[in-house]
PDB file of all heavy atoms in Angstrom:
ATOM      1  N   TYR K 160       8.099 143.182 -13.555  1.00 82.00           N
ATOM      2  CA  TYR K 160       8.781 142.223 -12.835  1.00 82.00           C
ATOM      3  C   TYR K 160       7.828 141.524 -11.864  1.00 82.00           C
ATOM      4  O   TYR K 160       6.865 142.057 -11.427  1.00 82.00           O
ATOM      5  CB  TYR K 160       9.831 142.892 -11.933  1.00 82.00           C
ATOM      6  CG  TYR K 160      10.926 143.723 -12.524  1.00 82.00           C
ATOM      7  CD1 TYR K 160      10.563 144.899 -13.203  1.00 82.00           C
ATOM      8  CD2 TYR K 160      12.228 143.357 -12.512  1.00 82.00           C
ATOM      9  CE1 TYR K 160      11.568 145.685 -13.744  1.00 82.00           C
ATOM     10  CE2 TYR K 160      13.201 144.138 -13.126  1.00 82.00           C
ATOM     11  CZ  TYR K 160      12.859 145.298 -13.738  1.00 82.00           C
ATOM     12  OH  TYR K 160      13.781 146.100 -14.365  1.00 82.00           O
ATOM     13  N   ILE K 161       8.141 140.284 -11.387  1.00 85.00           N
ATOM     14  CA  ILE K 161       7.516 139.627 -10.346  1.00 85.00           C
ATOM     15  C   ILE K 161       8.601 139.116  -9.325  1.00 85.00           C
ATOM     16  O   ILE K 161       9.484 138.456  -9.752  1.00 85.00           O
ATOM     17  CB  ILE K 161       6.706 138.386 -10.877  1.00 85.00           C
ATOM     18  CG1 ILE K 161       5.604 138.798 -11.879  1.00 85.00           C
ATOM     19  CG2 ILE K 161       6.101 137.662  -9.668  1.00 85.00           C
ATOM     20  CD1 ILE K 161       4.787 137.694 -12.349  1.00 85.00           C
ATOM     21  N   TYR K 162       8.365 139.588  -8.186  1.00 84.00           N
ATOM     22  CA  TYR K 162       9.335 139.164  -7.048  1.00 84.00           C
ATOM     23  C   TYR K 162       8.787 137.967  -6.242  1.00 84.00           C
ATOM     24  O   TYR K 162       7.564 138.108  -5.960  1.00 84.00           O
ATOM     25  CB  TYR K 162       9.704 140.412  -6.129  1.00 84.00           C
ATOM     26  CG  TYR K 162      10.712 141.351  -6.610  1.00 84.00           C
ATOM     27  CD1 TYR K 162      10.290 142.468  -7.353  1.00 84.00           C
ATOM     28  CD2 TYR K 162      12.018 141.143  -6.338  1.00 84.00           C
ATOM     29  CE1 TYR K 162      11.230 143.383  -7.795  1.00 84.00           C
ATOM     30  CE2 TYR K 162      13.007 142.060  -6.829  1.00 84.00           C
ATOM     31  CZ  TYR K 162      12.579 143.086  -7.606  1.00 84.00           C
ATOM     32  OH  TYR K 162      13.481 144.029  -8.018  1.00 84.00           O
ATOM     33  N   CYS K 163       9.534 137.080  -5.942  1.00 83.00           N
ATOM     34  CA  CYS K 163       9.151 136.008  -5.073  1.00 83.00           C
ATOM     35  C   CYS K 163      10.124 135.875  -3.970  1.00 83.00           C
ATOM     36  O   CYS K 163      11.382 135.819  -4.158  1.00 83.00           O
ATOM     37  CB  CYS K 163       9.079 134.725  -5.923  1.00 83.00           C
ATOM     38  SG  CYS K 163       8.821 133.259  -4.935  1.00 83.00           S
ATOM     39  N   LYS K 164       9.654 135.746  -2.694  1.00 80.00           N
ATOM     40  CA  LYS K 164      10.478 135.511  -1.533  1.00 80.00           C
ATOM     41  C   LYS K 164       9.879 134.501  -0.651  1.00 80.00           C
ATOM     42  O   LYS K 164       8.716 134.801  -0.169  1.00 80.00           O
ATOM     43  CB  LYS K 164      10.822 136.829  -0.835  1.00 80.00           C
ATOM     44  CG  LYS K 164      11.757 136.774   0.311  1.00 80.00           C
ATOM     45  CD  LYS K 164      12.141 138.178   0.859  1.00 80.00           C
ATOM     46  CE  LYS K 164      10.904 138.826   1.528  1.00 80.00           C
ATOM     47  NZ  LYS K 164      11.307 140.111   2.177  1.00 80.00           N
ATOM     48  N   PRO K 165      10.546 133.487  -0.325  1.00 76.00           N
ATOM     49  CA  PRO K 165       9.949 132.492   0.666  1.00 76.00           C
ATOM     50  C   PRO K 165       9.727 133.074   2.038  1.00 76.00           C
ATOM     51  O   PRO K 165      10.429 134.022   2.409  1.00 76.00           O
ATOM     52  CB  PRO K 165      11.062 131.408   0.742  1.00 76.00           C
ATOM     53  CG  PRO K 165      11.844 131.536  -0.521  1.00 76.00           C
ATOM     54  CD  PRO K 165      11.872 132.938  -0.821  1.00 76.00           C
ATOM     55  N   VAL K 166       8.777 132.537   2.715  1.00 69.00           N
ATOM     56  CA  VAL K 166       8.431 133.057   4.035  1.00 69.00           C
ATOM     57  C   VAL K 166       9.636 132.955   4.970  1.00 69.00           C
ATOM     58  O   VAL K 166       9.982 133.965   5.683  1.00 69.00           O
ATOM     59  CB  VAL K 166       7.171 132.380   4.627  1.00 69.00           C
ATOM     60  CG1 VAL K 166       6.969 132.757   6.117  1.00 69.00           C
ATOM     61  CG2 VAL K 166       5.995 132.593   3.767  1.00 69.00           C
ATOM     62  N   SER K 167      10.272 131.870   4.999  1.00 63.00           N
ATOM     63  CA  SER K 167      11.435 131.680   5.819  1.00 63.00           C
ATOM     64  C   SER K 167      12.249 130.527   5.331  1.00 63.00           C
ATOM     65  O   SER K 167      11.997 129.343   5.776  1.00 63.00           O
ATOM     66  CB  SER K 167      11.062 131.474   7.354  1.00 63.00           C
ATOM     67  OG  SER K 167      10.256 130.400   7.444  1.00 63.00           O
TER      68      SER K 167
END
Side-chain angles (χ1 to χ4, degrees):
Y160 302 69
I161 298 177
Y162 279 92
C163 170
K164 184 171 67 173
V166 174
S167 58

